[in-house]
Structures are given as structure tokens and as C-alpha cells.
Amino acid sequence: MCGDGACGAAQDDYESLFEDTAVGNIIITPDSIVSRVNRRLATWLGFTTAEVVGKRFSDLLTVGGKIYLETHLAPMLRMSGAFEEVMLEMRTADGGKLPVLVNGFERRDAEGRPVLTRIAVVRASHRLLYEQNLRQARKQARDALTNAEGTLLDERQTAVLREQFIAVLGHDLRNPLAAFTAGLRVLAKGQLDERQARVIPLMDAAVRRMAGLIDDVMNLARGRLGGGIPINRTETDLAPILQQVVDEVAGAHPERQIEVDFQLAVNVDCDGPKIAQLASNLLANAISHGAADGPIKISAGSVGAGFELAVENVGNPIHPGALTRLFEPFTREAGDGKEGLGLGLYIASEIAKAHGGSLTAMSDEEKTVFRLELG
């Protein structure tokens, strides 16, 4: 209980501490939506406070900042509830970059569920040094590219170098993760106290999430550096493959209704596992963005000499402006609050292109449909 105006004084002190300070303050909800920001940080970024509230926190970061948020800061918050003096780049209203140091603290309820995250933002004191290093790094990159172009005699050598890069990327990222997974299994078999028993599943979920992010980054590297995602086409009976994808997604989301219509009387010349990955990405997208109480429909069948697969869901339509960017990497619908790097639809599109086909999307008030067409 407060008396003699103590509550009002405390509130005034809090407001003064939040607004009248040399640092930027921002509060985000458990689904990463900005619920409050002080004027100082909004001004640094070139916005008003009203323009920042309602945005996803990741939308205020550069691409590099988004990746670091997903792969480091978010798991760190889940496990330890805080992070300190982390360097990030924020994106200003005019498209510029603002290097900052951030400190974050996650507030949780009595059951340990996150309620909000407070983040304090400080302009990096060594910004000029950072920009000088960036310019030097760009010059070194240009010099390295020039030397590489002089060394690589033909396109075949270039392709070999790209494949080696992708192989090393996968090896160096996956091996430490595999060791971490093995260690978790050993720990899980031991005698755990109550706190340890809560932490182990969180760590396991973070590992599985990291594995999925690595797969997405690997596919991005193959698509951008390796001349497209490689496929191995054979005459494939897709019905059981697609049904397994549906069963896996339905098992992970038993509360959702998935309707199936497969008319696959003949085999399809395709890479079965890659088509399964495409279908899985489209179903995951429908689960994330479709109405929770509406059905999801997946259909597949022969169309002339070709093949067609469609995934349909009901819910809010996708904005026409967003439709044109859906298949770009690191793109998600504004305000969706979902985790991930936004690579699922990009990878699905690259799989379609690798097959010589197309992946399109249409959305209106009645439904949203993603359609794969192979000639």
C-alpha cells in the first residue's frame, strides 16, 4: 500500500528515469512487439515514439542484427533472462545504420513465463573507429575479390570454391551443435533438481531451433553462392512422401485441421525430399499465419504433363505490397511476432526454381493460396 502520495511519486520517478536519461529505453512484449520506447531512442532512429510502438523489435535491426538476435540473444534470454553489453546495429528511418551497445532483462511471472523485456540502448562510443574498420574491411574484401578473380581461371574452379565454402560452413556450424546435443542427452539421464529439469528442455529446444536455422542458412548459401539449390530428379511417387509431411505437421499441431486431397496416379519427375521440404515450409507458413480456427487445405495432382501442389488457408489477407516481397530472404509479414529468419518461403521458391517451376501466392479476404507448378 502507498500513502501520502508515495505511489504517485514512485510513478513520477519511473517516468523520469525512463524518459529523462542519456540512454535509449525500449520495452518489448514476449512476441517481440515494441510496447513502449523513450523519445531519445526514437529520435536517434529518426522516428516518433508512436511510429516505433507496434513494430517488431527485429524490424529495428539490420540484417546482421536480426541474425544475431535470433541465434544468440533470444536463446540467451530464454536460458539466463538477461544479456549485457552486446554490440548491435540498428536501422534508422532513412536506411542508415546506428551501432549501439544493448543491455536486456526479461521479466517473468510466477510460473517463469516471460512478461516483457526491457532493453537499454547506448550509442557506441567508438562509432568512428567502427566506421573506419568497416571501410577498411570493405577495401580488403574488394582486394580479396580482385585477387580471387585473378586466381580463378574458369567457372569450374569458381564452382569448386563455392562448394568448398558451403561444405566448410555446414561442418563448422553443425559439429559444435552435435557435441552440445550429445552433452544434453548425458545431462538429461542424470539426477536433476527442479531448476535443472526446467532448464534442460529449454536448452534442447534452443538446440533444435539452432539446427533449423543452420539448415536455412545453408540453403540460403547454396541458393545465393552455389548457383541454386542442388536437386536430384527421379521418377517419384509423391503421395506417401507428402502424406508423411502432413502427418509430421499435424502431429506437431494437433489442434489444427489439415485437409488433404492428393490425386497422384502417376510418378513425378522431381527431387522427392526437396518437394517434401517445400510442402513442409508452406504448411508451416499456413500454421503460423492462417486463422487458428480455420482449416488448412493441401492438394496435389497431375496437370497435363506437369505437377501442381497448393496449400490454402483462411485468415487475414496478405497486404498487396507484402505479396511482392514474400519470396525474398529475411522477409516476414509485418507484425507477425513469429520467430525465425524469414527464409522458409525463400527456400521453397528456390526449390521450385531448381525444378524449372514456379511458386506463386494469391491472397484475398476469403483465402490465401500458395501454388507450385512444375512443367
Side-chain angles (χ1 to χ4, degrees):
M1 297 292 293
C2 300
D4 299 326
C7 285
Q11 181 65 25
D12 289 343
D13 288 343
Y14 173 79
E15 293 296 327
S16 177
L17 182 63
F18 190 87
E19 290 291 347
D20 303 326
T21 176
V23 303
N25 289 314
I26 190 168
I27 298 176
I28 61 176
T29 64
D31 56 354
S32 299
I33 303 299
V34 177
S35 63
R36 187 172 181 188
V37 63
N38 70 351
R39 288 185 298 274
R40 185 171 297 277
L41 178 56
T43 301
W44 287 348
L45 298 178
F47 296 106
T48 65
T49 56
E51 290 172 332
V52 177
V53 172
K55 288 181 178 290
R56 284 198 296 98
F57 178 63
S58 61
D59 288 339
L60 300 175
L61 305 178
T62 62
V63 170
K66 290 180 181 180
I67 294 177
Y68 195 79
L69 173 68
E70 297 287 352
T71 59
H72 290 74
L73 295 190
M76 191 184 304
L77 274 176
R78 295 291 86 79
M79 288 187 284
S80 63
F83 55 81
E84 296 181 351
E85 296 186 354
V86 175
M87 176 69 76
L88 284 179
E89 280 187 338
M90 301 192 77
R91 185 164 54 87
T92 59
D94 61 3
K97 299 176 181 178
L98 178 68
V100 297
L101 284 170
V102 296
N103 294 271
F105 171 77
E106 187 177 70
R107 178 182 171 187
R108 300 175 181 176
D109 61 19
E111 286 73 35
R113 292 171 300 202
V115 175
L116 56 83
T117 300
R118 295 191 182 96
I119 298 178
V121 182
V122 181
R123 281 192 177 189
S125 59
H126 56 287
R127 177 174 181 175
L128 292 179
L129 177 61
Y130 172 85
E131 292 176 346
Q132 292 171 359
N133 290 340
L134 182 59
R135 287 193 293 269
Q136 181 64 25
R138 286 174 175 168
K139 181 180 183 301
Q140 291 174 349
R142 287 194 297 268
D143 293 342
L145 180 59
T146 300
N147 293 335
E149 288 174 344
T151 302
L152 300 177
L153 301 178
D154 53 36
E155 186 60 29
R156 185 175 182 180
Q157 287 177 305
T158 303
V160 170
L161 182 63
R162 288 170 174 170
E163 289 303 319
Q164 287 175 344
F165 167 76
I166 293 170
V168 170
L169 178 67
H171 177 273
D172 288 351
L173 288 177
R174 285 196 174 103
N175 275 9
L177 200 63
F180 193 66
T181 301
L184 277 177
R185 290 191 184 125
V186 172
L187 292 175
K189 293 178 181 178
Q191 294 293 326
L192 305 176
D193 59 32
E194 183 178 350
R195 182 172 180 273
Q196 292 168 336
R198 289 197 309 269
V199 169
I200 291 294
L202 291 175
M203 295 175 69
D204 182 62
V207 168
R208 286 186 281 108
R209 174 165 163 71
M210 181 70 75
L213 291 171
I214 289 173
D215 288 340
D216 283 350
V217 171
M218 288 290 293
N219 281 318
L220 175 67
R222 291 191 180 100
R224 287 298 178 91
L225 300 180
I229 293 177
I231 62 171
N232 180 24
R233 299 182 76 146
T234 59
E235 292 293 325
T236 305
D237 181 4
L238 280 178
I241 293 175
L242 293 175
Q243 186 61 54
Q244 181 179 352
V245 171
V246 172
D247 292 342
E248 290 174 356
V249 174
H253 302 277
E255 75 285 358
R256 302 301 295 270
Q257 178 186 354
I258 302 178
E259 300 176 359
V260 176
D261 180 17
F262 296 155
Q263 303 293 330
L264 295 164
V266 297
N267 290 344
V268 179
D269 180 27
C270 67
D271 185 321
K274 288 295 191 296
I275 296 297
Q277 182 181 7
L278 180 149
S280 178
N281 286 0
L282 295 184
L283 284 174
N285 184 75
I287 292 286
S288 295
H289 301 293
D293 57 350
I296 295 170
K297 300 177 182 179
I298 177 170
S299 60
S302 301
V303 179
F307 166 76
E308 183 177 288
L309 180 145
V311 175
E312 172 186 326
N313 65 266
V314 297
N316 294 329
I318 303 172
H319 189 275
L323 271 175
T324 62
R325 299 181 291 104
L326 276 181
F327 301 116
E328 296 177 5
F330 307 111
T331 298
R332 292 180 292 188
E333 295 181 45
D336 60 26
K338 306 296 180 183
E339 298 181 343
L341 294 176
L343 292 175
L345 293 180
Y346 165 77
I347 292 169
S349 178
E350 289 298 304
I351 292 173
K353 292 177 183 177
H355 282 82
S358 64
L359 181 63
T360 57
M362 66 79 59
S363 185
D364 57 27
E365 294 293 339
E366 295 183 358
K367 61 185 177 181
T368 295
V369 181
F370 287 84
R371 190 178 309 279
L372 166 71
E373 294 178 311
L374 301 184

